[in-house]
């Protein structure tokens, strides 16, 4: 049985359903806390309950694996850790066109989409998620629960701490130091120096703006 459930029936969940189907993984349903979706079909796949319903034996008996491709880093990590405690597997997904270099060390439940490239001697924690055509240089240390959107360019020799969120098309300069825990890099930004934890930076060169 290679049956899976996806947490989140939004657009990310929908694209993962398509990619998983392409690899022969049978997505039997979504779970989603939006109660308006319950009982509906999304791209032909039923929404079979809320996230807490994953604990129900009638759902557990039907699927072995959980995928949670949602952009909210802390929630993605929380849902995947809970799913694992319930006895589900939480596999990684690497699109067949992703290029993961030799000597890259990766943790669990990592998602890497089409055309993304990770160079050797980079290490990545658990619950990492990157969209298409993102490149990550060598000797980068990436923590847990980090999200990178599409077209991000990460240089080499730097640290990205847990739960950082890097917006579409951002560039992170080689050797700049640290992208702090929980920080947010705005779309298209060019980051040339260390970013403090829990801050938001935007623009070229990236500057801090107030966090909402
Ligand atoms: C395919 C996918 O993966 S989709 C998911 C990817 N998502 C993204 O890449 C989105 C990333 N989010 C952003 O870039 C957002 O603009 C944020 C989070 C950085 C800021 O959003 P908000 O907090 O709502 O800020 P707001 O829109 O009010 O802008 C505040 C100021 O920052 C500026 N600003 C906001 N974002 C950017 C940006 N990316 N680059 C340059 N300036 C920006 C605004 O122009 C504004 O400037 P002003 O005060 O001089 O007028």
């Amino acid at each position: 049985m290679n049956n899976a459930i996806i947490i989140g029936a939004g657009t990310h969940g929908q694209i993962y359903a398509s990619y998983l189907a392409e690899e022969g993984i049978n997505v039997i349903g979504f779970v989603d806390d939006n109660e308006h979706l319950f009982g509906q079909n999304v791209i032909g796949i039923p929404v079979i309950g809320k996230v807490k319903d994953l604990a129900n034996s009638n759902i557990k008996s039907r699927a072995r694996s959980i995928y949670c491709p949602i952009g909210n880093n802390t929630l993605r990590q929380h849902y995947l850790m809970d799913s694992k405690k319930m006895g589900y597997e939480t596999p990684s997904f690497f699109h067949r066109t992703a290029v993961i270099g030799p000597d890259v060390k990766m943790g669990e439940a990592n998602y890497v989409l089409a055309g993304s490239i990770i160079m050797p001697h980079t290490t990545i924690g658990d619950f990492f998620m990157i969209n298409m055509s993102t490149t990550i240089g060598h000797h980068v240390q990436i923590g847990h629960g980090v999200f990178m959107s599409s077209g991000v360019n990460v240089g080499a020799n730097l640290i990205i701490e847990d739960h950082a969120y890097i917006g579409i098309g951002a560039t992170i300069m080689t050797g700049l130091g640290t992208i702090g825990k929980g920080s947010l890099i705005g779309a298209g930004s060019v980051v040339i120096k260390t970013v403090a934890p829990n801050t938001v930076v935007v623009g070229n060169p990236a500057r801090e703006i107030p966090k909402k």
Side-chain angles (χ1 to χ4, degrees):
M1 179 180 76
N2 203 3
N3 289 349
I5 294 170
I6 295 179
I7 299 177
T11 52
H12 274 136
Q14 293 169 34
I15 59 169
Y16 274 79
S18 299
Y19 283 135
L20 291 169
E22 197 176 39
E23 298 305 329
I25 297 165
N26 180 32
V27 177
I28 61 149
F30 293 106
V31 290
D32 197 298
D33 284 345
N34 178 352
E35 58 196 28
H36 299 300
L37 290 176
F38 186 64
Q40 308 277 324
N41 278 337
V42 173
I43 59 160
I45 297 172
V47 180
I48 57 179
K50 294 186 174 182
V51 180
K52 67 175 174 46
D53 296 328
L54 289 173
N56 295 350
S57 53
N58 62 332
I59 291 186
K60 280 180 86 173
S61 63
R62 294 172 58 203
R64 187 172 70 188
S65 310
I66 300 292
Y67 295 85
C68 180
I70 62 175
N72 182 316
N73 288 331
T74 47
L75 213 50
R76 182 174 68 258
Q77 176 163 345
H78 171 73
Y79 285 153
L80 285 165
M81 287 173 77
D82 264 9
S83 302
K84 200 170 171 184
K85 278 190 210 138
M86 288 177 211
Y88 291 101
E89 293 177 11
T90 54
S92 291
F93 176 78
F94 302 120
H95 189 267
R96 56 177 81 174
T97 63
V99 180
I100 316 285
D103 301 313
V104 170
K105 292 196 178 74
M106 298 189 80
E108 295 178 23
N110 288 325
Y111 306 146
V112 180
L113 288 193
S116 287
I117 302 173
I118 304 172
M119 287 186 74
H121 305 294
T122 277
T123 61
I124 299 176
D126 303 327
F127 319 115
F128 174 65
M129 177 166 167
I130 54 177
N131 277 344
M132 60 181 176
S133 297
T134 278
T135 62
I136 301 174
H138 57 90
H139 298 90
V140 179
Q141 292 173 46
I142 300 177
H144 298 302
V146 168
F147 174 84
M148 293 181 192
S149 184
S150 303
V152 171
N153 284 307
V154 176
N157 296 305
L158 60 105
I159 296 170
I160 301 178
E161 293 182 337
D162 296 353
H163 303 143
Y165 183 107
I166 304 184
I168 190 165
T171 294
I172 316 291
M173 195 174 77
T174 290
L176 58 61
T178 302
I179 303 293
K181 183 172 182 174
S183 59
L184 192 160
I185 313 300
S189 299
V190 178
V191 185
I192 60 170
K193 60 181 187 188
T194 281
V195 174
N198 299 310
T199 55
V200 180
V201 299
V202 297
N204 177 8
R207 63 184 166 88
E208 187 175 340
I209 60 169
K211 189 174 181 177
K212 285 183 182 163

